[in-house]
């Protein structure tokens, strides 16, 4: 059984609230009685994309489990790369290049794609990212499941506040998925709400936000803000069993 923890939208800004909530989630994962196959953190890592914020994040995200992080729309690629990535990972060292990473585990592969667009809030997978992902999928045996993760969901999730800046150009990703049957699921963040839907005939599983939650349209009067600060941080566990079946569990974490 392969268990992958999925965390998103920690928005570390140096203030105690974001730091405490992130620390609580990582402490919860560290105190689990079993090892995880991976921990994924899908974007909006530093709230303002500053080097000082990434220095705090680097301390917070220390883990005994294999851990991968991708940028979101709040992140800065150059500062993200300099502050969080080990050169030994083989990541492209051009400061403005997309931050794409792969984890090849025992019986699974995770491809973490950079859907951020410098200077914009919406998402888009650059051609070089899609070419890189095609290479990862082509180089993975067909019997090995591949999970593809990024920050921006490529479909609307009925959250108008976030859907306006979702991932666009998604038809190119769908066409790539059609060529690779062992692409098992898509994982995303950005929405600050736990969600499960489909894209390109696969599950699309969205991690809840750590720093906050987004109220859905039917949860709030027009006079209430979109952002809900009172709910506890949460995360997802994605489980691949011996038959290749994927199950996702969502957990809240006390602070």
């Amino acid at each position: 059984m392969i268990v992958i923890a999925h965390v998103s939208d920690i928005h570390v800004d140096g203030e105690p609230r974001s730091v405490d909530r992130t620390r609580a989630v990582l402490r919860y994962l560290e105190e689990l009685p079993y090892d995880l196959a991976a921990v994924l953190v899908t974007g909006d890592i530093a709230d303002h994309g500053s080097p000082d914020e990434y220095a705090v994040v680097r301390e917070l995200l220390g883990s005994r489990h294999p851990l991968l992080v991708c940028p979101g729309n709040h992140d800065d690629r150059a500062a993200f790369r300099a502050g969080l990535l080990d050169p030994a990972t083989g990541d492209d060292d051009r400061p403005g290049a997309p931050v794409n990473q792969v984890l090849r585990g025992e019986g699974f592969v995770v491809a973490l794609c950079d859907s951020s667009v410098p200077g914009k809030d919406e998402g888009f997978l650059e051609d070089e990212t899609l070419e890189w992902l095609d290479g990862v999928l082509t180089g993975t045996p067909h019997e090995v499941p591949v999970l593809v993760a990024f920050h921006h969901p490529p479909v609307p999730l009925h959250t108008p506040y976030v859907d306006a800046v979702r991932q666009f150009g998604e038809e190119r990703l769908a066409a790539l998925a059609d060529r690779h049957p062992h692409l098992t699921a898509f994982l995303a963040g950005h929405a600050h709400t736990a969600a499960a839907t489909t894209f390109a005939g696969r599950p699309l599983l969205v991690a809840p936000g750590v720093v906050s939650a987004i109220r859905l349209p039917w949860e709030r009067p027009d006079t209430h803000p979109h952002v809900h600060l009172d709910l506890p941080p949460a995360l997802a566990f994605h489980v691949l069993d011996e038959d290749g079946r994927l199950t996702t569990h969502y957990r809240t974490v006390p602070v």
Side-chain angles (χ1 to χ4, degrees):
M1 184 171 66
I2 296 163
V3 181
I4 296 170
H6 183 187
V7 176
S8 200
D9 295 272
I10 61 177
H11 285 267
V12 168
D13 56 7
E15 296 298 319
R17 185 178 182 279
S18 62
V19 170
D20 290 347
R21 290 168 75 92
T22 302
R23 183 174 286 120
V25 169
L26 270 293
R27 183 172 59 243
Y28 170 74
L29 296 177
E30 286 300 290
E31 293 176 352
L32 292 173
Y34 299 102
D35 292 336
L36 298 171
V39 176
L40 309 180
V41 190
T42 53
D44 279 359
I45 308 304
D47 196 46
H48 305 97
S50 74
D52 288 347
E53 290 171 340
Y54 290 116
V56 175
V57 170
R58 191 172 184 94
E59 180 271 324
L60 288 172
L61 295 187
S63 178
R64 66 184 172 91
H65 312 291
L67 189 146
L68 274 78
V69 188
C70 72
N73 54 293
H74 278 251
D75 292 299
D76 176 86
R77 285 179 178 174
F80 178 102
R81 180 172 275 113
L84 297 183
L85 295 192
D86 183 342
T89 61
D91 171 64
D92 189 328
D93 61 1
R94 291 174 296 149
V99 182
N100 300 314
Q101 303 170 81
V102 63
L103 173 65
R104 298 188 182 276
E106 186 173 346
F108 75 99
V109 170
V110 177
L112 209 58
C113 302
D114 187 349
S115 64
S116 70
V117 179
K120 296 185 179 181
D121 287 330
E122 66 265 25
F124 184 83
L125 296 180
E126 296 180 19
D127 288 345
E128 66 179 282
T129 293
L130 287 175
E131 292 170 8
W132 171 85
L133 179 57
D134 191 35
V136 170
L137 290 160
T138 300
T140 302
H142 285 182
E143 67 273 14
V144 176
V146 179
L147 305 177
V148 175
F150 32 61
H151 181 62
H152 298 79
V155 297
L157 298 173
H158 307 289
T159 57
Y161 180 67
V162 176
D163 287 346
V165 290
R166 67 176 178 86
Q167 183 185 145
F168 295 97
E170 68 278 8
E171 68 283 350
R172 299 150 53 252
L173 178 60
L176 186 152
D178 287 344
R179 301 197 299 271
H180 296 286
H182 57 317
L183 196 169
T184 301
F186 298 98
L187 313 177
H190 191 44
H192 290 239
T193 183
T197 184
T198 60
F199 171 71
R202 275 83 163 176
L204 169 61
L205 305 166
V206 182
V210 168
V211 77
S212 64
I214 293 291
R215 288 186 173 93
L216 299 166
W218 50 90
E219 291 183 304
R220 66 178 189 88
D222 289 340
T223 54
H224 285 206
H226 295 279
V227 179
H228 198 316
L229 297 175
D230 298 330
L231 295 179
L235 69 144
F237 287 115
H238 306 300
V239 183
L240 277 166
D241 66 18
E242 291 77 6
D243 298 322
R245 187 168 63 93
L246 179 65
T247 304
T248 296
H249 302 272
Y250 292 100
R251 285 287 182 269
T252 56
V253 178
V255 178

